[in-house]
PDB file of all heavy atoms in Angstrom:
ATOM      1  N   GLY A 976      -1.958   0.617 -12.467  1.00  0.00           N
ATOM      2  CA  GLY A 976      -1.328  -0.174 -11.420  1.00  0.00           C
ATOM      3  C   GLY A 976       0.145   0.109 -11.208  1.00  0.00           C
ATOM      4  O   GLY A 976       0.842  -0.736 -10.627  1.00  0.00           O
ATOM      5  N   ASN A 977       0.628   1.263 -11.606  1.00  0.00           N
ATOM      6  CA  ASN A 977       2.051   1.581 -11.482  1.00  0.00           C
ATOM      7  C   ASN A 977       2.357   2.564 -10.361  1.00  0.00           C
ATOM      8  O   ASN A 977       3.472   2.565  -9.830  1.00  0.00           O
ATOM      9  CB  ASN A 977       2.590   2.150 -12.800  1.00  0.00           C
ATOM     10  CG  ASN A 977       2.549   1.136 -13.920  1.00  0.00           C
ATOM     11  OD1 ASN A 977       2.867  -0.033 -13.716  1.00  0.00           O
ATOM     12  ND2 ASN A 977       2.138   1.562 -15.108  1.00  0.00           N
ATOM     13  N   GLU A 978       1.388   3.402 -10.011  1.00  0.00           N
ATOM     14  CA  GLU A 978       1.658   4.439  -9.018  1.00  0.00           C
ATOM     15  C   GLU A 978       0.386   4.734  -8.236  1.00  0.00           C
ATOM     16  O   GLU A 978      -0.669   4.949  -8.815  1.00  0.00           O
ATOM     17  CB  GLU A 978       2.178   5.705  -9.694  1.00  0.00           C
ATOM     18  CG  GLU A 978       2.682   6.759  -8.735  1.00  0.00           C
ATOM     19  CD  GLU A 978       3.250   7.955  -9.474  1.00  0.00           C
ATOM     20  OE1 GLU A 978       2.457   8.703 -10.072  1.00  0.00           O
ATOM     21  OE2 GLU A 978       4.485   8.123  -9.465  1.00  0.00           O
ATOM     22  N   LEU A 979       0.501   4.747  -6.924  1.00  0.00           N
ATOM     23  CA  LEU A 979      -0.626   5.021  -6.045  1.00  0.00           C
ATOM     24  C   LEU A 979      -0.577   6.472  -5.593  1.00  0.00           C
ATOM     25  O   LEU A 979       0.468   6.947  -5.128  1.00  0.00           O
ATOM     26  CB  LEU A 979      -0.584   4.096  -4.825  1.00  0.00           C
ATOM     27  CG  LEU A 979      -1.700   4.264  -3.791  1.00  0.00           C
ATOM     28  CD1 LEU A 979      -3.049   3.860  -4.386  1.00  0.00           C
ATOM     29  CD2 LEU A 979      -1.408   3.436  -2.546  1.00  0.00           C
ATOM     30  N   GLU A 980      -1.685   7.175  -5.729  1.00  0.00           N
ATOM     31  CA  GLU A 980      -1.728   8.584  -5.359  1.00  0.00           C
ATOM     32  C   GLU A 980      -2.208   8.750  -3.921  1.00  0.00           C
ATOM     33  O   GLU A 980      -3.075   8.006  -3.444  1.00  0.00           O
ATOM     34  CB  GLU A 980      -2.643   9.365  -6.303  1.00  0.00           C
ATOM     35  CG  GLU A 980      -2.119   9.469  -7.727  1.00  0.00           C
ATOM     36  CD  GLU A 980      -2.982  10.358  -8.598  1.00  0.00           C
ATOM     37  OE1 GLU A 980      -4.062  10.782  -8.112  1.00  0.00           O
ATOM     38  OE2 GLU A 980      -2.591  10.636  -9.740  1.00  0.00           O
ATOM     39  N   ALA A 981      -1.642   9.754  -3.249  1.00  0.00           N
ATOM     40  CA  ALA A 981      -2.037  10.088  -1.882  1.00  0.00           C
ATOM     41  C   ALA A 981      -1.785  11.579  -1.670  1.00  0.00           C
ATOM     42  O   ALA A 981      -1.005  12.205  -2.395  1.00  0.00           O
ATOM     43  CB  ALA A 981      -1.261   9.264  -0.867  1.00  0.00           C
ATOM     44  N   VAL A 982      -2.455  12.148  -0.674  1.00  0.00           N
ATOM     45  CA  VAL A 982      -2.345  13.580  -0.367  1.00  0.00           C
ATOM     46  C   VAL A 982      -1.651  13.732   0.975  1.00  0.00           C
ATOM     47  O   VAL A 982      -2.030  13.088   1.959  1.00  0.00           O
ATOM     48  CB  VAL A 982      -3.737  14.250  -0.333  1.00  0.00           C
ATOM     49  CG1 VAL A 982      -3.607  15.733  -0.030  1.00  0.00           C
ATOM     50  CG2 VAL A 982      -4.458  14.044  -1.661  1.00  0.00           C
ATOM     51  N   THR A 983      -0.626  14.583   1.022  1.00  0.00           N
ATOM     52  CA  THR A 983       0.133  14.792   2.244  1.00  0.00           C
ATOM     53  C   THR A 983      -0.566  15.804   3.149  1.00  0.00           C
ATOM     54  O   THR A 983      -1.594  16.376   2.802  1.00  0.00           O
ATOM     55  CB  THR A 983       1.547  15.284   1.909  1.00  0.00           C
ATOM     56  OG1 THR A 983       1.443  16.545   1.223  1.00  0.00           O
ATOM     57  CG2 THR A 983       2.267  14.290   1.023  1.00  0.00           C
ATOM     58  N   LYS A 984       0.048  16.041   4.286  1.00  0.00           N
ATOM     59  CA  LYS A 984      -0.534  16.946   5.275  1.00  0.00           C
ATOM     60  C   LYS A 984      -0.621  18.370   4.770  1.00  0.00           C
ATOM     61  O   LYS A 984      -1.550  19.106   5.144  1.00  0.00           O
ATOM     62  CB  LYS A 984       0.299  16.878   6.558  1.00  0.00           C
ATOM     63  CG  LYS A 984      -0.294  17.641   7.719  1.00  0.00           C
ATOM     64  CD  LYS A 984       0.545  17.455   8.967  1.00  0.00           C
ATOM     65  CE  LYS A 984      -0.062  18.202  10.141  1.00  0.00           C
ATOM     66  NZ  LYS A 984       0.757  18.035  11.365  1.00  0.00           N
ATOM     67  N   ASP A 985       0.337  18.780   3.932  1.00  0.00           N
ATOM     68  CA  ASP A 985       0.307  20.139   3.389  1.00  0.00           C
ATOM     69  C   ASP A 985      -0.344  20.188   2.010  1.00  0.00           C
ATOM     70  O   ASP A 985       0.018  21.034   1.182  1.00  0.00           O
ATOM     71  CB  ASP A 985       1.712  20.733   3.335  1.00  0.00           C
ATOM     72  CG  ASP A 985       2.700  19.776   2.678  1.00  0.00           C
ATOM     73  OD1 ASP A 985       2.258  18.741   2.142  1.00  0.00           O
ATOM     74  OD2 ASP A 985       3.902  20.061   2.698  1.00  0.00           O
ATOM     75  N   GLN A 986      -1.286  19.265   1.750  1.00  0.00           N
ATOM     76  CA  GLN A 986      -2.121  19.259   0.535  1.00  0.00           C
ATOM     77  C   GLN A 986      -1.292  19.118  -0.745  1.00  0.00           C
ATOM     78  O   GLN A 986      -1.562  19.770  -1.748  1.00  0.00           O
ATOM     79  CB  GLN A 986      -2.960  20.549   0.464  1.00  0.00           C
ATOM     80  CG  GLN A 986      -3.805  20.811   1.690  1.00  0.00           C
ATOM     81  CD  GLN A 986      -4.774  19.662   1.972  1.00  0.00           C
ATOM     82  OE1 GLN A 986      -5.425  19.162   1.066  1.00  0.00           O
ATOM     83  NE2 GLN A 986      -4.877  19.259   3.226  1.00  0.00           N
ATOM     84  N   LEU A 987      -0.293  18.271  -0.702  1.00  0.00           N
ATOM     85  CA  LEU A 987       0.542  18.015  -1.872  1.00  0.00           C
ATOM     86  C   LEU A 987       0.280  16.596  -2.362  1.00  0.00           C
ATOM     87  O   LEU A 987       0.398  15.634  -1.599  1.00  0.00           O
ATOM     88  CB  LEU A 987       2.020  18.181  -1.526  1.00  0.00           C
ATOM     89  CG  LEU A 987       3.015  17.941  -2.670  1.00  0.00           C
ATOM     90  CD1 LEU A 987       2.824  18.989  -3.759  1.00  0.00           C
ATOM     91  CD2 LEU A 987       4.439  17.953  -2.148  1.00  0.00           C
ATOM     92  N   ASN A 988      -0.104  16.471  -3.635  1.00  0.00           N
ATOM     93  CA  ASN A 988      -0.336  15.153  -4.223  1.00  0.00           C
ATOM     94  C   ASN A 988       0.999  14.452  -4.450  1.00  0.00           C
ATOM     95  O   ASN A 988       1.942  15.034  -4.980  1.00  0.00           O
ATOM     96  CB  ASN A 988      -1.084  15.287  -5.550  1.00  0.00           C
ATOM     97  CG  ASN A 988      -2.511  15.754  -5.359  1.00  0.00           C
ATOM     98  OD1 ASN A 988      -3.139  15.471  -4.348  1.00  0.00           O
ATOM     99  ND2 ASN A 988      -3.022  16.495  -6.324  1.00  0.00           N
ATOM    100  N   THR A 989       1.062  13.212  -4.048  1.00  0.00           N
ATOM    101  CA  THR A 989       2.283  12.434  -4.204  1.00  0.00           C
ATOM    102  C   THR A 989       1.968  11.119  -4.891  1.00  0.00           C
ATOM    103  O   THR A 989       0.844  10.612  -4.823  1.00  0.00           O
ATOM    104  CB  THR A 989       2.942  12.133  -2.842  1.00  0.00           C
ATOM    105  OG1 THR A 989       2.011  11.390  -2.039  1.00  0.00           O
ATOM    106  CG2 THR A 989       3.308  13.405  -2.136  1.00  0.00           C
ATOM    107  N   GLY A 990       2.965  10.555  -5.539  1.00  0.00           N
ATOM    108  CA  GLY A 990       2.856   9.240  -6.157  1.00  0.00           C
ATOM    109  C   GLY A 990       3.705   8.246  -5.389  1.00  0.00           C
ATOM    110  O   GLY A 990       4.894   8.470  -5.165  1.00  0.00           O
ATOM    111  N   LEU A 991       3.105   7.135  -4.957  1.00  0.00           N
ATOM    112  CA  LEU A 991       3.788   6.129  -4.151  1.00  0.00           C
ATOM    113  C   LEU A 991       4.017   4.875  -4.979  1.00  0.00           C
ATOM    114  O   LEU A 991       3.133   4.425  -5.711  1.00  0.00           O
ATOM    115  CB  LEU A 991       2.958   5.777  -2.912  1.00  0.00           C
ATOM    116  CG  LEU A 991       2.515   6.949  -2.035  1.00  0.00           C
ATOM    117  CD1 LEU A 991       1.577   6.460  -0.949  1.00  0.00           C
ATOM    118  CD2 LEU A 991       3.715   7.639  -1.426  1.00  0.00           C
ATOM    119  N   THR A 992       5.190   4.322  -4.866  1.00  0.00           N
ATOM    120  CA  THR A 992       5.516   3.064  -5.529  1.00  0.00           C
ATOM    121  C   THR A 992       6.089   2.102  -4.503  1.00  0.00           C
ATOM    122  O   THR A 992       6.728   2.516  -3.528  1.00  0.00           O
ATOM    123  CB  THR A 992       6.539   3.280  -6.660  1.00  0.00           C
ATOM    124  OG1 THR A 992       7.706   3.929  -6.126  1.00  0.00           O
ATOM    125  CG2 THR A 992       5.950   4.135  -7.772  1.00  0.00           C
ATOM    126  N   GLY A 993       5.869   0.819  -4.733  1.00  0.00           N
ATOM    127  CA  GLY A 993       6.368  -0.197  -3.813  1.00  0.00           C
ATOM    128  C   GLY A 993       5.654  -1.516  -4.017  1.00  0.00           C
ATOM    129  O   GLY A 993       4.844  -1.676  -4.937  1.00  0.00           O
ATOM    130  N   GLN A 994       5.948  -2.457  -3.157  1.00  0.00           N
ATOM    131  CA  GLN A 994       5.356  -3.792  -3.235  1.00  0.00           C
ATOM    132  C   GLN A 994       4.866  -4.230  -1.861  1.00  0.00           C
ATOM    133  O   GLN A 994       5.318  -3.717  -0.834  1.00  0.00           O
ATOM    134  CB  GLN A 994       6.373  -4.825  -3.750  1.00  0.00           C
ATOM    135  CG  GLN A 994       6.926  -4.570  -5.141  1.00  0.00           C
ATOM    136  CD  GLN A 994       8.070  -3.589  -5.135  1.00  0.00           C
ATOM    137  OE1 GLN A 994       8.847  -3.555  -4.183  1.00  0.00           O
ATOM    138  NE2 GLN A 994       8.180  -2.788  -6.188  1.00  0.00           N
ATOM    139  N   ILE A 995       3.949  -5.165  -1.860  1.00  0.00           N
ATOM    140  CA  ILE A 995       3.501  -5.807  -0.637  1.00  0.00           C
ATOM    141  C   ILE A 995       3.536  -7.315  -0.844  1.00  0.00           C
ATOM    142  O   ILE A 995       3.300  -7.811  -1.947  1.00  0.00           O
ATOM    143  CB  ILE A 995       2.087  -5.347  -0.207  1.00  0.00           C
ATOM    144  CG1 ILE A 995       1.058  -5.683  -1.282  1.00  0.00           C
ATOM    145  CG2 ILE A 995       2.069  -3.874   0.120  1.00  0.00           C
ATOM    146  CD1 ILE A 995      -0.366  -5.388  -0.841  1.00  0.00           C
ATOM    147  N   ARG A 996       3.843  -8.034   0.225  1.00  0.00           N
ATOM    148  CA  ARG A 996       3.841  -9.496   0.201  1.00  0.00           C
ATOM    149  C   ARG A 996       2.717  -9.990   1.094  1.00  0.00           C
ATOM    150  O   ARG A 996       2.563  -9.510   2.221  1.00  0.00           O
ATOM    151  CB  ARG A 996       5.187 -10.051   0.676  1.00  0.00           C
ATOM    152  CG  ARG A 996       6.344  -9.689  -0.223  1.00  0.00           C
ATOM    153  CD  ARG A 996       7.523 -10.631   0.006  1.00  0.00           C
ATOM    154  NE  ARG A 996       7.956 -10.629   1.401  1.00  0.00           N
ATOM    155  CZ  ARG A 996       8.908  -9.846   1.874  1.00  0.00           C
ATOM    156  NH1 ARG A 996       9.508  -8.985   1.079  1.00  0.00           N
ATOM    157  NH2 ARG A 996       9.257  -9.921   3.141  1.00  0.00           N
ATOM    158  N   PHE A 997       1.975 -10.969   0.614  1.00  0.00           N
ATOM    159  CA  PHE A 997       0.838 -11.479   1.366  1.00  0.00           C
ATOM    160  C   PHE A 997       0.686 -12.966   1.102  1.00  0.00           C
ATOM    161  O   PHE A 997       1.244 -13.522   0.148  1.00  0.00           O
ATOM    162  CB  PHE A 997      -0.449 -10.736   0.965  1.00  0.00           C
ATOM    163  CG  PHE A 997      -0.873 -10.981  -0.454  1.00  0.00           C
ATOM    164  CD1 PHE A 997      -1.781 -11.995  -0.765  1.00  0.00           C
ATOM    165  CD2 PHE A 997      -0.358 -10.216  -1.491  1.00  0.00           C
ATOM    166  CE1 PHE A 997      -2.159 -12.228  -2.071  1.00  0.00           C
ATOM    167  CE2 PHE A 997      -0.733 -10.447  -2.793  1.00  0.00           C
ATOM    168  CZ  PHE A 997      -1.637 -11.447  -3.082  1.00  0.00           C
ATOM    169  N   ARG A 998      -0.110 -13.603   1.959  1.00  0.00           N
ATOM    170  CA  ARG A 998      -0.428 -15.019   1.810  1.00  0.00           C
ATOM    171  C   ARG A 998      -1.684 -15.323   2.616  1.00  0.00           C
ATOM    172  O   ARG A 998      -2.073 -14.544   3.510  1.00  0.00           O
ATOM    173  CB  ARG A 998       0.719 -15.902   2.292  1.00  0.00           C
ATOM    174  CG  ARG A 998       1.107 -15.672   3.747  1.00  0.00           C
ATOM    175  CD  ARG A 998       2.262 -16.549   4.173  1.00  0.00           C
ATOM    176  NE  ARG A 998       2.738 -16.203   5.496  1.00  0.00           N
ATOM    177  CZ  ARG A 998       2.210 -16.657   6.635  1.00  0.00           C
ATOM    178  NH1 ARG A 998       1.166 -17.499   6.580  1.00  0.00           N
ATOM    179  NH2 ARG A 998       2.687 -16.281   7.805  1.00  0.00           N
ATOM    180  N   ALA A 999      -2.313 -16.431   2.290  1.00  0.00           N
ATOM    181  CA  ALA A 999      -3.492 -16.859   3.040  1.00  0.00           C
ATOM    182  C   ALA A 999      -3.071 -17.353   4.422  1.00  0.00           C
ATOM    183  O   ALA A 999      -2.019 -17.971   4.577  1.00  0.00           O
ATOM    184  CB  ALA A 999      -4.232 -17.956   2.285  1.00  0.00           C
ATOM    185  N   SER A1000      -3.902 -17.076   5.418  1.00  0.00           N
ATOM    186  CA  SER A1000      -3.588 -17.459   6.790  1.00  0.00           C
ATOM    187  C   SER A1000      -4.100 -18.868   7.074  1.00  0.00           C
ATOM    188  O   SER A1000      -5.302 -19.131   6.983  1.00  0.00           O
ATOM    189  CB  SER A1000      -4.214 -16.469   7.777  1.00  0.00           C
ATOM    190  OG  SER A1000      -4.073 -16.922   9.107  1.00  0.00           O
ATOM    191  N   GLU A1001      -3.200 -19.757   7.417  1.00  0.00           N
ATOM    192  CA  GLU A1001      -3.589 -21.128   7.764  1.00  0.00           C
ATOM    193  C   GLU A1001      -4.393 -21.171   9.055  1.00  0.00           C
ATOM    194  O   GLU A1001      -5.188 -22.078   9.273  1.00  0.00           O
ATOM    195  CB  GLU A1001      -2.329 -21.983   7.895  1.00  0.00           C
ATOM    196  CG  GLU A1001      -2.588 -23.449   8.190  1.00  0.00           C
ATOM    197  CD  GLU A1001      -1.305 -24.243   8.295  1.00  0.00           C
ATOM    198  OE1 GLU A1001      -0.233 -23.693   7.997  1.00  0.00           O
ATOM    199  OE2 GLU A1001      -1.390 -25.427   8.674  1.00  0.00           O
ATOM    200  N   ARG A1002      -4.229 -20.159   9.913  1.00  0.00           N
ATOM    201  CA  ARG A1002      -4.898 -20.149  11.209  1.00  0.00           C
ATOM    202  C   ARG A1002      -6.290 -19.540  11.147  1.00  0.00           C
ATOM    203  O   ARG A1002      -7.022 -19.574  12.127  1.00  0.00           O
ATOM    204  CB  ARG A1002      -4.030 -19.380  12.210  1.00  0.00           C
ATOM    205  CG  ARG A1002      -2.648 -19.989  12.353  1.00  0.00           C
ATOM    206  CD  ARG A1002      -1.654 -19.049  12.989  1.00  0.00           C
ATOM    207  NE  ARG A1002      -1.968 -18.753  14.372  1.00  0.00           N
ATOM    208  CZ  ARG A1002      -1.195 -18.003  15.164  1.00  0.00           C
ATOM    209  NH1 ARG A1002      -0.100 -17.462  14.682  1.00  0.00           N
ATOM    210  NH2 ARG A1002      -1.552 -17.789  16.403  1.00  0.00           N
ATOM    211  N   ASN A1003      -6.652 -18.950  10.019  1.00  0.00           N
ATOM    212  CA  ASN A1003      -7.977 -18.332   9.893  1.00  0.00           C
ATOM    213  C   ASN A1003      -8.524 -18.568   8.487  1.00  0.00           C
ATOM    214  O   ASN A1003      -8.895 -17.631   7.780  1.00  0.00           O
ATOM    215  CB  ASN A1003      -7.897 -16.830  10.200  1.00  0.00           C
ATOM    216  CG  ASN A1003      -9.271 -16.210  10.411  1.00  0.00           C
ATOM    217  OD1 ASN A1003     -10.274 -16.913  10.588  1.00  0.00           O
ATOM    218  ND2 ASN A1003      -9.329 -14.897  10.384  1.00  0.00           N
ATOM    219  N   LEU A1004      -8.588 -19.829   8.087  1.00  0.00           N
ATOM    220  CA  LEU A1004      -9.078 -20.161   6.753  1.00  0.00           C
ATOM    221  C   LEU A1004     -10.578 -19.948   6.620  1.00  0.00           C
ATOM    222  O   LEU A1004     -11.084 -19.796   5.506  1.00  0.00           O
ATOM    223  CB  LEU A1004      -8.728 -21.616   6.421  1.00  0.00           C
ATOM    224  CG  LEU A1004      -7.269 -21.879   6.056  1.00  0.00           C
ATOM    225  CD1 LEU A1004      -7.058 -23.352   5.749  1.00  0.00           C
ATOM    226  CD2 LEU A1004      -6.840 -21.027   4.882  1.00  0.00           C
TER     227      LEU A1004
END
């Protein structure tokens, strides 16, 4: 859970790090 892998357009493996913020939607429970 520390690094997310993805492949770029020129076939290079990369490691992505970051955060996301989320919450439950009161309008679509």
Side-chain angles (χ1 to χ4, degrees):
N977 295 319
E978 189 177 71
L979 180 66
E980 292 186 353
V982 181
T983 62
K984 187 177 181 180
D985 49 8
Q986 305 302 315
L987 180 65
N988 291 329
T989 60
L991 307 174
T992 56
Q994 299 83 34
I995 61 174
R996 296 200 303 267
F997 66 93
R998 58 181 172 84
S1000 172
E1001 183 179 352
R1002 302 163 66 176
N1003 194 14
L1004 284 180

